[in-house]
Amino acid sequence: MQSPWKILMVAPLFLLLSLQSSASPAYDDLSRPRDSNGHTCVGCVLVVSVIEQLAQVHNSTVQASMERLCSYLPEKLFLKTTCYLVIDKFGSDIIKLLSADMNADVVCHTLEFCKQNTGQPLCHLYPLPKETWKFTLKKARQIVKKSPILKYSRSGSDICSLPVLAKICQKIKLAIEQSVPFKDVDSDKYSVFPTLRGYHWRGRDCNDSDESVYPGRRPDNWDVHQDSNCNGIWGIDPKDGIPYEKKFCEGSQPRGIILLGDSAGAHFHISPEWITASQMSLNSFINLPTALTDELDWPQLSGVTGFLDSTVGIKKKSIYLRLWKRNHCNHRDYQNISRNGASSRNLKKFIESLSRNKMLDYPAIIIYAMIGNDVCNGKSDPVPAMTTPEKLYSNVMQTLKHLNSHLPDGSHVILYGLPDGTFLWDNLHNRYHPLGQLNKDVTYAHLYSFLNCLQVSPCHGWMSSNKTLRTLTSERAEQLSNTLKKIATSEKFTNFDLFYMDFAFHEIIQEWQKRGGQPWQLIEPVDGFHPNERKSVFLKGMLMTSQTLDNQEWTQLTSWIKGNLTCDSRTREWLCCCLRIVSGRRCSSSGPKSWERRIHSTPRLNRCLETKVGTEPLRSMHPWGAQGGRGLGKLMPQTLGLLRHRPKGVSFSSIFAKCLSLNEEHIWMTVQLCLLLGSVTLPLFLK
């Protein structure tokens, strides 16, 4: 994805397309200067299209539609004021060209925001004019022959060249490039400011004047005098003299969630209302200033670190909110170290922004999710620019060694595989893009072709009509996923366990279709590439629990596992053994056969094996939840450490009966839940 810094510098006439331009993937070097002609062209075509369609929707003049667009923009960041200034500069010629029935492609080529270089193909979004392109362009240039706009457009403009803005621009640019907060008084990498890499991206600082106070650290003297880890728990209970932090959090194994990701993990999103004339209103751009200062990302809504409620009516919660709900001692302990355009190749440029002290902080769950840019680029021949399996192995090992030197002991790292992006073309190519819905003239196939021609596509390999190229891209993605899987199974590190998970794309689609949705609804409608909020939340939710979590019995079982079972390799073997029995298979030769014999030796479980239905309910869940008390005590898991004895009221057979009453998907989700939320060992069934 293109560096979002350009968005803050580009002329606001092309504001709406500047948004689209930031959807393009970066190449190997994020800091390398790049030719922005392609992005400028896309921006011009988008904005001129919106102006033209606003006039059509409201049956108004082009002048009125431009003024209407500016009236919709907020005053923040001087967006409204700048828009009116741009109208004054460019409006007259745009009016002339649109009044002469020139479409957005012709307007932008005439004004030289789009250029066809010698020997290069003509890039256009809309169908070509009935007359020849050369004749149409010559006619359009005659209309604006004496206009000063052409000279202006070639001269360029950069607001950061102004002396009064140079220093502030440089500071903002540095914050974005290094992925650290713009406003951070004590330089602890946490901020009290929401955007510009502030607490939308990582937990909010509760004392920005003290670098020893930040989310995720172990409490200083049980936080008797101050809240050193910003989880809102500090002081002493006057009734018994015990510090609240000790009372609520000791033994609960708090752990943070950290995402190392790309634009998908950062939740890149361009609102369709920003470019859809029929939906545009005074409320359409309310969130635009926030989006611009968050690099057009919405990490506060992401499937991993999001802390705000979903905007699309999904009840699923992010991984952070699930961890927080399980243990409020995890409050504010999240970090979204994602960047637009990030890949295994350039992660080293900003991984230093990760904040974790192996001596002072709690362990963390780290999700490595570079799911696209190692195979995605916008080059005319994208295959040579893809990361090879050998290079990926080297890059990931470098990242893991860095994590091992910074993460506290007891952390977990999950390597996420790459998806099969052939889904994009198969489900979107013949659907109308938001710009084409009014006049039925622009499909996603047209958009993909336009972006590929300009070499600014987020992923030429998958967003292409060339089936062979799409297949090659998916094959490379599968090779890279297998490389990640190999690393997870063969490499060991001292401070964290290493796991691998496939990108469960087909499972997400199936679940969405069960709810009455269509596959194409899981993709961002404007860029036609990124997973949207629905898909993101579903994907991360599958890491945490079954889709049938609302079922009371399943909730009881998973709650019991989270509260009592700790998850080393033997725990996973035990759960997989259960999975094999449910599916009618025996445990593998390496599996815990003694457990299987013990299962079959229990008459009650023999009946369960025959009927595949467990009938004995859990008798009591109280011993493993929070133990009584008032206030936060009710919300704190009290017993998540090693269990010395089997809990009262629950027999070995009742747990397995409950296990056997579930289907294979439930058990597999339990294994995944175990991987994420478990702790150290399993003494319960080994006596």
Side-chain angles (χ1 to χ4, degrees), residues 551-601:
N551 178 275
Q552 183 178 2
E553 293 183 350
W554 173 241
T555 303
Q556 289 180 338
L557 177 63
T558 53
S559 176
W560 185 89
I561 290 174
K562 288 188 291 184
N564 295 271
L565 298 187
T566 54
C567 291
D568 65 352
S569 59
R570 300 200 71 184
T571 308
R572 294 190 293 276
E573 288 178 344
W574 176 76
L575 289 169
C576 289
C577 177
C578 184
L579 172 62
R580 287 178 174 275
I581 291 172
V582 172
S583 58
R585 301 190 298 271
R586 289 179 56 84
C587 292
S588 65
S589 58
S590 61
K593 291 186 176 180
S594 62
W595 298 341
E596 186 179 7
R597 287 196 299 271
R598 191 170 182 180
I599 293 166
H600 285 280
S601 68

Short mmCIF file of all heavy atoms in Angstrom, two decimals, residues 551-601:
data_model
loop_
_atom_site.label_atom_id
_atom_site.label_comp_id
_atom_site.label_asym_id
_atom_site.label_seq_id
_atom_site.Cartn_x
_atom_site.Cartn_y
_atom_site.Cartn_z
N ASN A 551 -24.52 -21.21 22.52
CA ASN A 551 -25.07 -22.43 23.07
C ASN A 551 -24.60 -22.60 24.51
O ASN A 551 -23.41 -22.54 24.80
CB ASN A 551 -24.63 -23.62 22.21
CG ASN A 551 -25.15 -24.92 22.76
OD1 ASN A 551 -24.51 -25.51 23.64
ND2 ASN A 551 -26.27 -25.39 22.24
N GLN A 552 -25.53 -22.82 25.43
CA GLN A 552 -25.19 -22.82 26.85
C GLN A 552 -24.17 -23.89 27.20
O GLN A 552 -23.21 -23.65 27.93
CB GLN A 552 -26.46 -23.03 27.68
CG GLN A 552 -26.20 -22.96 29.19
CD GLN A 552 -27.48 -23.13 29.97
OE1 GLN A 552 -28.54 -23.33 29.40
NE2 GLN A 552 -27.38 -23.04 31.28
N GLU A 553 -24.36 -25.10 26.68
CA GLU A 553 -23.45 -26.18 27.03
C GLU A 553 -22.05 -25.91 26.49
O GLU A 553 -21.04 -26.16 27.17
CB GLU A 553 -23.98 -27.50 26.49
CG GLU A 553 -25.28 -27.95 27.16
CD GLU A 553 -25.73 -29.30 26.67
OE1 GLU A 553 -25.14 -29.79 25.69
OE2 GLU A 553 -26.66 -29.87 27.25
N TRP A 554 -21.99 -25.42 25.26
CA TRP A 554 -20.67 -25.13 24.68
C TRP A 554 -19.99 -24.02 25.46
O TRP A 554 -18.78 -24.05 25.72
CB TRP A 554 -20.83 -24.75 23.22
CG TRP A 554 -19.57 -24.27 22.55
CD1 TRP A 554 -19.35 -23.05 22.00
CD2 TRP A 554 -18.36 -25.00 22.38
NE1 TRP A 554 -18.10 -22.98 21.48
CE2 TRP A 554 -17.46 -24.16 21.71
CE3 TRP A 554 -17.94 -26.29 22.73
CZ2 TRP A 554 -16.17 -24.55 21.38
CZ3 TRP A 554 -16.65 -26.68 22.40
CH2 TRP A 554 -15.79 -25.82 21.74
N THR A 555 -20.76 -23.03 25.88
CA THR A 555 -20.20 -21.95 26.68
C THR A 555 -19.63 -22.48 27.99
O THR A 555 -18.57 -22.07 28.44
CB THR A 555 -21.28 -20.90 26.97
OG1 THR A 555 -21.81 -20.41 25.74
CG2 THR A 555 -20.70 -19.73 27.75
N GLN A 556 -20.35 -23.41 28.61
CA GLN A 556 -19.87 -23.98 29.86
C GLN A 556 -18.57 -24.74 29.66
O GLN A 556 -17.63 -24.60 30.45
CB GLN A 556 -20.93 -24.92 30.44
CG GLN A 556 -22.16 -24.21 31.00
CD GLN A 556 -23.17 -25.18 31.56
OE1 GLN A 556 -23.17 -26.36 31.21
NE2 GLN A 556 -24.02 -24.70 32.44
N LEU A 557 -18.51 -25.53 28.58
CA LEU A 557 -17.29 -26.32 28.35
C LEU A 557 -16.09 -25.43 28.09
O LEU A 557 -15.02 -25.62 28.68
CB LEU A 557 -17.51 -27.27 27.17
CG LEU A 557 -16.27 -28.10 26.78
CD1 LEU A 557 -15.87 -29.03 27.92
CD2 LEU A 557 -16.54 -28.90 25.52
N THR A 558 -16.25 -24.44 27.18
CA THR A 558 -15.12 -23.57 26.88
C THR A 558 -14.72 -22.74 28.09
O THR A 558 -13.54 -22.48 28.33
CB THR A 558 -15.45 -22.63 25.71
OG1 THR A 558 -16.66 -21.94 25.99
CG2 THR A 558 -15.59 -23.40 24.42
N SER A 559 -15.71 -22.33 28.88
CA SER A 559 -15.40 -21.58 30.10
C SER A 559 -14.60 -22.45 31.06
O SER A 559 -13.64 -21.99 31.68
CB SER A 559 -16.70 -21.10 30.76
OG SER A 559 -16.43 -20.46 31.98
N TRP A 560 -14.99 -23.71 31.16
CA TRP A 560 -14.25 -24.62 32.04
C TRP A 560 -12.82 -24.81 31.55
O TRP A 560 -11.87 -24.78 32.31
CB TRP A 560 -14.97 -25.97 32.12
CG TRP A 560 -14.33 -26.90 33.10
CD1 TRP A 560 -14.62 -27.01 34.42
CD2 TRP A 560 -13.29 -27.82 32.84
NE1 TRP A 560 -13.82 -27.95 35.00
CE2 TRP A 560 -12.98 -28.47 34.05
CE3 TRP A 560 -12.56 -28.18 31.69
CZ2 TRP A 560 -12.00 -29.44 34.15
CZ3 TRP A 560 -11.59 -29.14 31.80
CH2 TRP A 560 -11.31 -29.76 33.01
N ILE A 561 -12.66 -25.01 30.23
CA ILE A 561 -11.32 -25.22 29.67
C ILE A 561 -10.45 -24.00 29.91
O ILE A 561 -9.30 -24.09 30.34
CB ILE A 561 -11.40 -25.54 28.17
CG1 ILE A 561 -12.00 -26.94 27.98
CG2 ILE A 561 -10.03 -25.47 27.51
CD1 ILE A 561 -12.26 -27.31 26.55
N LYS A 562 -11.00 -22.80 29.65
CA LYS A 562 -10.23 -21.57 29.87
C LYS A 562 -9.84 -21.42 31.33
O LYS A 562 -8.75 -20.93 31.65
CB LYS A 562 -11.05 -20.35 29.42
CG LYS A 562 -11.17 -20.23 27.92
CD LYS A 562 -11.82 -18.92 27.53
CE LYS A 562 -13.28 -18.87 27.91
NZ LYS A 562 -13.94 -17.65 27.45
N GLY A 563 -10.72 -21.84 32.24
CA GLY A 563 -10.47 -21.61 33.65
C GLY A 563 -9.64 -22.68 34.32
O GLY A 563 -9.09 -22.44 35.39
N ASN A 564 -9.55 -23.87 33.71
CA ASN A 564 -8.94 -24.97 34.43
C ASN A 564 -7.84 -25.70 33.68
O ASN A 564 -6.91 -26.21 34.29
CB ASN A 564 -10.02 -25.99 34.81
CG ASN A 564 -11.01 -25.39 35.80
OD1 ASN A 564 -10.82 -25.46 37.00
ND2 ASN A 564 -12.05 -24.76 35.26
N LEU A 565 -7.97 -25.83 32.37
CA LEU A 565 -6.95 -26.56 31.63
C LEU A 565 -5.86 -25.61 31.16
O LEU A 565 -6.15 -24.53 30.67
CB LEU A 565 -7.56 -27.25 30.40
CG LEU A 565 -8.63 -28.30 30.68
CD1 LEU A 565 -9.01 -28.99 29.39
CD2 LEU A 565 -8.15 -29.32 31.69
N THR A 566 -4.63 -26.01 31.33
CA THR A 566 -3.53 -25.24 30.80
C THR A 566 -2.95 -26.00 29.63
O THR A 566 -3.03 -27.22 29.58
CB THR A 566 -2.45 -25.02 31.86
OG1 THR A 566 -2.07 -26.28 32.39
CG2 THR A 566 -2.99 -24.15 32.98
N CYS A 567 -2.41 -25.30 28.68
CA CYS A 567 -2.25 -25.89 27.36
C CYS A 567 -0.81 -26.06 26.92
O CYS A 567 -0.23 -25.16 26.32
CB CYS A 567 -3.00 -25.04 26.33
SG CYS A 567 -4.77 -25.13 26.55
N ASP A 568 -0.25 -27.18 27.20
CA ASP A 568 1.01 -27.55 26.58
C ASP A 568 0.72 -28.57 25.50
O ASP A 568 -0.43 -28.77 25.11
CB ASP A 568 2.01 -28.08 27.63
CG ASP A 568 1.53 -29.38 28.25
OD1 ASP A 568 0.37 -29.78 27.97
OD2 ASP A 568 2.32 -30.00 28.98
N SER A 569 1.73 -29.26 24.99
CA SER A 569 1.53 -30.20 23.90
C SER A 569 0.64 -31.37 24.33
O SER A 569 -0.15 -31.89 23.54
CB SER A 569 2.87 -30.72 23.41
OG SER A 569 3.57 -31.36 24.46
N ARG A 570 0.69 -31.78 25.59
CA ARG A 570 -0.12 -32.91 26.04
C ARG A 570 -1.59 -32.54 26.07
O ARG A 570 -2.46 -33.36 25.79
CB ARG A 570 0.34 -33.38 27.42
CG ARG A 570 1.79 -33.84 27.45
CD ARG A 570 2.06 -34.72 28.65
NE ARG A 570 1.43 -36.03 28.49
CZ ARG A 570 1.45 -36.98 29.43
NH1 ARG A 570 2.05 -36.73 30.59
NH2 ARG A 570 0.87 -38.13 29.23
N THR A 571 -1.89 -31.28 26.41
CA THR A 571 -3.28 -30.85 26.38
C THR A 571 -3.83 -30.93 24.97
O THR A 571 -4.94 -31.40 24.74
CB THR A 571 -3.39 -29.39 26.87
OG1 THR A 571 -2.74 -29.28 28.11
CG2 THR A 571 -4.84 -28.98 26.98
N ARG A 572 -3.06 -30.45 24.03
CA ARG A 572 -3.51 -30.49 22.64
C ARG A 572 -3.69 -31.93 22.17
O ARG A 572 -4.61 -32.24 21.41
CB ARG A 572 -2.52 -29.73 21.76
CG ARG A 572 -2.47 -28.24 22.06
CD ARG A 572 -1.67 -27.48 21.03
NE ARG A 572 -0.26 -27.80 21.05
CZ ARG A 572 0.60 -27.22 21.88
NH1 ARG A 572 0.17 -26.31 22.75
NH2 ARG A 572 1.88 -27.53 21.85
N GLU A 573 -2.81 -32.84 22.60
CA GLU A 573 -2.97 -34.24 22.25
C GLU A 573 -4.27 -34.79 22.82
O GLU A 573 -4.98 -35.55 22.17
CB GLU A 573 -1.77 -35.05 22.76
CG GLU A 573 -0.48 -34.79 21.98
CD GLU A 573 0.70 -35.56 22.54
OE1 GLU A 573 0.58 -36.03 23.70
OE2 GLU A 573 1.70 -35.70 21.85
N TRP A 574 -4.58 -34.39 24.04
CA TRP A 574 -5.80 -34.86 24.68
C TRP A 574 -7.03 -34.38 23.91
O TRP A 574 -7.94 -35.15 23.63
CB TRP A 574 -5.84 -34.36 26.13
CG TRP A 574 -7.11 -34.72 26.84
CD1 TRP A 574 -7.45 -35.93 27.34
CD2 TRP A 574 -8.20 -33.85 27.09
NE1 TRP A 574 -8.69 -35.86 27.91
CE2 TRP A 574 -9.18 -34.59 27.77
CE3 TRP A 574 -8.44 -32.50 26.82
CZ2 TRP A 574 -10.38 -34.04 28.18
CZ3 TRP A 574 -9.64 -31.95 27.23
CH2 TRP A 574 -10.59 -32.71 27.90
N LEU A 575 -7.03 -33.11 23.53
CA LEU A 575 -8.17 -32.59 22.79
C LEU A 575 -8.26 -33.21 21.40
O LEU A 575 -9.35 -33.51 20.91
CB LEU A 575 -8.04 -31.06 22.68
CG LEU A 575 -8.28 -30.29 23.99
CD1 LEU A 575 -7.86 -28.84 23.83
CD2 LEU A 575 -9.72 -30.39 24.43
N CYS A 576 -7.11 -33.43 20.76
CA CYS A 576 -7.13 -34.07 19.44
C CYS A 576 -7.59 -35.52 19.55
O CYS A 576 -8.22 -36.05 18.64
CB CYS A 576 -5.75 -33.99 18.81
SG CYS A 576 -5.29 -32.33 18.28
N CYS A 577 -7.26 -36.16 20.66
CA CYS A 577 -7.73 -37.52 20.90
C CYS A 577 -9.26 -37.52 20.96
O CYS A 577 -9.92 -38.38 20.38
CB CYS A 577 -7.14 -38.06 22.19
SG CYS A 577 -7.72 -39.71 22.65
N CYS A 578 -9.80 -36.54 21.65
CA CYS A 578 -11.25 -36.40 21.72
C CYS A 578 -11.84 -36.19 20.33
O CYS A 578 -12.86 -36.77 19.97
CB CYS A 578 -11.61 -35.23 22.63
SG CYS A 578 -13.37 -35.02 22.92
N LEU A 579 -11.16 -35.37 19.54
CA LEU A 579 -11.62 -35.11 18.17
C LEU A 579 -11.65 -36.40 17.35
O LEU A 579 -12.59 -36.68 16.62
CB LEU A 579 -10.70 -34.08 17.50
CG LEU A 579 -10.90 -33.84 16.01
CD1 LEU A 579 -12.30 -33.30 15.75
CD2 LEU A 579 -9.85 -32.88 15.49
N ARG A 580 -10.60 -37.20 17.48
CA ARG A 580 -10.53 -38.45 16.72
C ARG A 580 -11.64 -39.42 17.14
O ARG A 580 -12.22 -40.12 16.33
CB ARG A 580 -9.16 -39.10 16.91
CG ARG A 580 -8.05 -38.37 16.17
CD ARG A 580 -6.70 -39.02 16.43
NE ARG A 580 -5.67 -38.40 15.61
CZ ARG A 580 -5.41 -38.74 14.35
NH1 ARG A 580 -6.09 -39.72 13.80
NH2 ARG A 580 -4.48 -38.12 13.66
N ILE A 581 -11.92 -39.48 18.43
CA ILE A 581 -12.96 -40.39 18.91
C ILE A 581 -14.32 -39.95 18.38
O ILE A 581 -15.12 -40.76 17.91
CB ILE A 581 -12.96 -40.43 20.44
CG1 ILE A 581 -11.67 -41.13 20.93
CG2 ILE A 581 -14.17 -41.18 20.97
CD1 ILE A 581 -11.47 -41.05 22.41
N VAL A 582 -14.59 -38.64 18.44
CA VAL A 582 -15.86 -38.12 17.94
C VAL A 582 -16.03 -38.44 16.47
O VAL A 582 -17.13 -38.75 16.00
CB VAL A 582 -15.94 -36.60 18.19
CG1 VAL A 582 -17.15 -36.03 17.49
CG2 VAL A 582 -16.03 -36.33 19.68
N SER A 583 -14.95 -38.36 15.71
CA SER A 583 -15.04 -38.60 14.26
C SER A 583 -14.89 -40.08 13.91
O SER A 583 -14.78 -40.43 12.74
CB SER A 583 -13.97 -37.78 13.53
OG SER A 583 -12.67 -38.12 14.01
N GLY A 584 -14.85 -40.96 14.92
CA GLY A 584 -14.82 -42.39 14.66
C GLY A 584 -13.45 -42.96 14.39
O GLY A 584 -13.32 -44.07 13.87
N ARG A 585 -12.39 -42.24 14.74
CA ARG A 585 -11.03 -42.72 14.50
C ARG A 585 -10.34 -42.95 15.83
O ARG A 585 -10.68 -42.35 16.85
CB ARG A 585 -10.24 -41.70 13.67
CG ARG A 585 -10.86 -41.38 12.33
CD ARG A 585 -9.90 -40.56 11.48
NE ARG A 585 -9.60 -39.28 12.09
CZ ARG A 585 -10.32 -38.18 11.89
NH1 ARG A 585 -11.37 -38.22 11.12
NH2 ARG A 585 -9.99 -37.04 12.46
N ARG A 586 -9.32 -43.79 15.81
CA ARG A 586 -8.52 -44.01 16.99
C ARG A 586 -7.46 -42.93 17.09
O ARG A 586 -7.17 -42.23 16.13
CB ARG A 586 -7.84 -45.39 16.93
CG ARG A 586 -8.80 -46.55 17.11
CD ARG A 586 -8.05 -47.86 17.01
NE ARG A 586 -6.96 -47.93 17.98
CZ ARG A 586 -7.10 -48.30 19.24
NH1 ARG A 586 -8.29 -48.64 19.68
NH2 ARG A 586 -6.07 -48.34 20.06
N CYS A 587 -6.85 -42.81 18.26
CA CYS A 587 -5.74 -41.90 18.41
C CYS A 587 -4.57 -42.38 17.58
O CYS A 587 -4.42 -43.59 17.31
CB CYS A 587 -5.31 -41.80 19.88
SG CYS A 587 -6.55 -40.99 20.92
N SER A 588 -3.73 -41.47 17.15
CA SER A 588 -2.56 -41.84 16.35
C SER A 588 -1.57 -42.61 17.21
O SER A 588 -1.67 -42.66 18.43
CB SER A 588 -1.90 -40.59 15.79
OG SER A 588 -1.39 -39.80 16.84
N SER A 589 -0.59 -43.19 16.54
CA SER A 589 0.41 -43.97 17.26
C SER A 589 1.17 -43.14 18.26
O SER A 589 1.68 -43.65 19.26
CB SER A 589 1.39 -44.60 16.26
OG SER A 589 2.01 -43.58 15.49
N SER A 590 1.26 -41.85 18.01
CA SER A 590 1.98 -40.97 18.93
C SER A 590 1.06 -40.35 19.97
O SER A 590 1.50 -39.60 20.82
CB SER A 590 2.67 -39.84 18.15
OG SER A 590 1.71 -39.07 17.46
N GLY A 591 -0.24 -40.67 19.88
CA GLY A 591 -1.20 -40.06 20.77
C GLY A 591 -1.25 -40.73 22.13
O GLY A 591 -0.62 -41.77 22.37
N PRO A 592 -2.00 -40.17 23.04
CA PRO A 592 -2.08 -40.68 24.42
C PRO A 592 -3.02 -41.88 24.51
O PRO A 592 -4.17 -41.78 24.86
CB PRO A 592 -2.63 -39.48 25.19
CG PRO A 592 -3.44 -38.74 24.18
CD PRO A 592 -2.77 -38.94 22.86
N LYS A 593 -2.50 -43.06 24.14
CA LYS A 593 -3.35 -44.25 24.11
C LYS A 593 -3.92 -44.58 25.48
O LYS A 593 -5.01 -45.13 25.59
CB LYS A 593 -2.57 -45.44 23.57
CG LYS A 593 -2.23 -45.31 22.08
CD LYS A 593 -1.57 -46.58 21.56
CE LYS A 593 -1.32 -46.48 20.07
NZ LYS A 593 -0.68 -47.70 19.54
N SER A 594 -3.15 -44.25 26.52
CA SER A 594 -3.65 -44.55 27.86
C SER A 594 -4.93 -43.79 28.14
O SER A 594 -5.84 -44.30 28.79
CB SER A 594 -2.59 -44.20 28.91
OG SER A 594 -2.31 -42.81 28.88
N TRP A 595 -5.03 -42.60 27.62
CA TRP A 595 -6.26 -41.83 27.80
C TRP A 595 -7.41 -42.51 27.07
O TRP A 595 -8.52 -42.59 27.55
CB TRP A 595 -6.08 -40.41 27.28
CG TRP A 595 -5.02 -39.64 28.00
CD1 TRP A 595 -4.50 -39.94 29.24
CD2 TRP A 595 -4.35 -38.50 27.55
NE1 TRP A 595 -3.55 -39.03 29.57
CE2 TRP A 595 -3.43 -38.12 28.55
CE3 TRP A 595 -4.43 -37.72 26.40
CZ2 TRP A 595 -2.59 -37.02 28.44
CZ3 TRP A 595 -3.60 -36.61 26.28
CH2 TRP A 595 -2.69 -36.27 27.29
N GLU A 596 -7.12 -43.01 25.86
CA GLU A 596 -8.18 -43.66 25.09
C GLU A 596 -8.66 -44.92 25.80
O GLU A 596 -9.86 -45.18 25.88
CB GLU A 596 -7.66 -44.01 23.70
CG GLU A 596 -8.77 -44.54 22.80
CD GLU A 596 -8.26 -44.86 21.41
OE1 GLU A 596 -7.05 -44.78 21.20
OE2 GLU A 596 -9.09 -45.19 20.57
N ARG A 597 -7.72 -45.71 26.33
CA ARG A 597 -8.12 -46.91 27.07
C ARG A 597 -8.96 -46.52 28.28
O ARG A 597 -9.94 -47.18 28.62
CB ARG A 597 -6.88 -47.69 27.50
CG ARG A 597 -6.18 -48.41 26.35
CD ARG A 597 -5.23 -49.46 26.88
NE ARG A 597 -4.18 -48.89 27.70
CZ ARG A 597 -3.01 -48.45 27.24
NH1 ARG A 597 -2.76 -48.52 25.94
NH2 ARG A 597 -2.11 -47.94 28.04
N ARG A 598 -8.55 -45.44 28.93
CA ARG A 598 -9.29 -45.00 30.10
C ARG A 598 -10.69 -44.56 29.73
O ARG A 598 -11.65 -44.78 30.47
CB ARG A 598 -8.52 -43.86 30.77
CG ARG A 598 -9.05 -43.51 32.16
CD ARG A 598 -8.10 -42.56 32.85
NE ARG A 598 -8.56 -42.24 34.19
CZ ARG A 598 -7.91 -41.43 35.02
NH1 ARG A 598 -6.77 -40.90 34.65
NH2 ARG A 598 -8.39 -41.17 36.23
N ILE A 599 -10.82 -43.93 28.58
CA ILE A 599 -12.14 -43.52 28.10
C ILE A 599 -13.04 -44.74 27.92
O ILE A 599 -14.17 -44.79 28.39
CB ILE A 599 -12.01 -42.75 26.77
CG1 ILE A 599 -11.29 -41.42 27.01
CG2 ILE A 599 -13.38 -42.50 26.16
CD1 ILE A 599 -10.84 -40.76 25.75
N HIS A 600 -12.51 -45.74 27.22
CA HIS A 600 -13.33 -46.92 26.91
C HIS A 600 -13.61 -47.76 28.15
O HIS A 600 -14.52 -48.58 28.13
CB HIS A 600 -12.63 -47.76 25.84
CG HIS A 600 -12.72 -47.17 24.48
ND1 HIS A 600 -13.84 -47.30 23.69
CD2 HIS A 600 -11.83 -46.43 23.77
CE1 HIS A 600 -13.65 -46.68 22.54
NE2 HIS A 600 -12.43 -46.14 22.56
N SER A 601 -12.84 -47.58 29.19
CA SER A 601 -13.06 -48.36 30.40
C SER A 601 -14.19 -47.81 31.25
O SER A 601 -14.61 -48.44 32.21
CB SER A 601 -11.78 -48.41 31.24
OG SER A 601 -11.49 -47.11 31.77
#
